[in-house]
Amino acid sequence: KAGVTQTPRYLIKTRGQQVTLSCSPISGHRSVSWYQQTPGQGLQFLFEYFSETQRNKGNFPGRFSGRQFSNSRSEMNVSTLELGDSALYLCASSLNSPNTGELFFGEGSRLTVL
Amino acid sequence: AQKITQTQPGMFVQEKEAVTLDCTYDTSDQSYGLFWYKQPSSGEMIFLIYQGSYDEQNATEGRYSLNFQKARKSANLVISASQLGDSAMYFCAMREDPGNSGGSNYKLTFGKGTLLTVNP
């Protein structure tokens, strides 16, 4: 069973550019969450999608957006990049089980903003 | 607001010995879930163990066990018989209760992590 796949794995952008990251969840999983990981702030929740609807959103500016497609694949976009957006962006998928809520994470997309 | 505290930035343990990684949490919810994840240098977060707030038994998964003390709001991870491959960052996390919203809530709040080094 394939795991959560994130692309690209590494990318370098400059300030002011925008970036789109992609996440393919485990087959059958309908919930996809995104997290930002930085050395200073640690892991922070960005947003969660279920059946193409955003269910939860973290405390990030509007430059951070996302969407989910009918096949549960998700993308997140960051516009007008800032140096502080350099981070590891992790995607996680889940079956939406109410009992454990186990999340399966991908290996992340490491973004460097110059 | 929820908060997860991991007071040990780094821990060292000898191979084959047991180690306890500390985690305390703060929440006003009655129903919540606690997780431990392992993050090796590759970056992927690997699920280790889960404990529900209403679970009476401490969770165990192979060499991992969760020492859940609800009154003290602690959820320490115990790794028995440490292996070299256990060297990694370990994160404690908490999930909000979905309540009666009709859907599960997968927003996790993470601690800052503990870097575990297993020495041969």
Side-chain angles (χ1 to χ4, degrees), chain A residues 9-10 31 33 35 37 39-45 48 55-59 88 90 94-108 110, chain B residues 33-35 37 39 41-48 50-52 55 61 89 91-92 94-96 98 101-112:
Chain A
R9 290 289 316 280
Y10 303 90
S31 170
S33 306
Y35 290 81
Q37 185 177 24
Q41 299 297 318
L43 280 148
Q44 293 185 287
F45 172 79
E48 186 235 349
R55 290 200 298 194
N56 289 290
K57 189 176 189 303
N59 295 324
L88 179 66
L90 290 162
S94 177
L95 269 174
N96 201 45
S97 164
N99 295 322
T100 69
E102 180 180 339
L103 295 182
F104 295 86
F105 283 83
E107 291 185 300
R110 189 169 295 278
Chain B
L34 296 159
F35 301 77
Y37 282 87
Q39 186 178 42
S41 56
S42 62
E44 181 181 5
M45 297 284 283
I46 301 168
F47 168 77
L48 296 177
Y50 168 84
Q51 179 86 40
D55 294 340
E61 290 285 348
M89 280 291 288
F91 291 94
C92 179
M94 179 163 59
R95 170 178 57 84
E96 292 182 82
S101 64
S104 295
N105 182 331
Y106 289 108
K107 174 182 177 180
L108 294 186
T109 301
F110 284 86
K112 294 293 187 183

Side-chain angles (χ1 to χ4, degrees), chain A:
Chain A
K1 189 175 184 181
V4 178
T5 303
Q6 292 189 244
T7 57
R9 290 289 316 280
Y10 303 90
L11 66 166
I12 300 173
K13 294 285 187 178
T14 57
R15 280 180 297 175
Q17 288 187 311
Q18 66 93 27
V19 65
T20 298
L21 309 178
S22 178
C23 172
S24 293
I26 291 172
S27 178
H29 286 193
R30 296 167 64 191
S31 170
V32 174
S33 306
W34 289 89
Y35 290 81
Q36 181 197 63
Q37 185 177 24
T38 59
Q41 299 297 318
L43 280 148
Q44 293 185 287
F45 172 79
L46 280 157
F47 25 66
E48 186 235 349
Y49 288 87
F50 180 79
S51 293
E52 303 179 65
T53 301
Q54 186 182 87
R55 290 200 298 194
N56 289 290
K57 189 176 189 303
N59 295 324
F60 279 82
R63 301 185 297 106
F64 292 81
S65 63
R67 60 178 175 169
Q68 186 180 35
F69 302 95
S70 58
N71 61 358
S72 293
R73 189 178 71 86
S74 178
E75 288 181 348
M76 68 162 283
N77 183 277
V78 187
S79 62
T80 319
L81 284 166
E82 300 176 0
L83 295 179
D85 297 333
S86 293
L88 179 66
Y89 290 87
L90 290 162
C91 168
S93 76
S94 177
L95 269 174
N96 201 45
S97 164
N99 295 322
T100 69
E102 180 180 339
L103 295 182
F104 295 86
F105 283 83
E107 291 185 300
S109 292
R110 189 169 295 278
L111 170 66
T112 301
V113 182
L114 302 177

Side-chain angles (χ1 to χ4, degrees), chain B residues 56-109:
Chain B
E56 294 185 355
Q57 303 271 6
N58 284 346
T60 60
E61 290 285 348
R63 294 186 298 111
Y64 305 107
S65 61
L66 199 152
N67 184 0
F68 181 47
Q69 298 187 43
K70 194 170 182 177
R72 297 180 59 186
K73 293 189 175 179
S74 73
N76 298 338
L77 176 70
V78 180
I79 304 174
S80 63
S82 297
Q83 301 172 357
L84 296 178
D86 293 335
S87 294
M89 280 291 288
Y90 288 79
F91 291 94
C92 179
M94 179 163 59
R95 170 178 57 84
E96 292 182 82
D97 177 59
N100 296 317
S101 64
S104 295
N105 182 331
Y106 289 108
K107 174 182 177 180
L108 294 186
T109 301

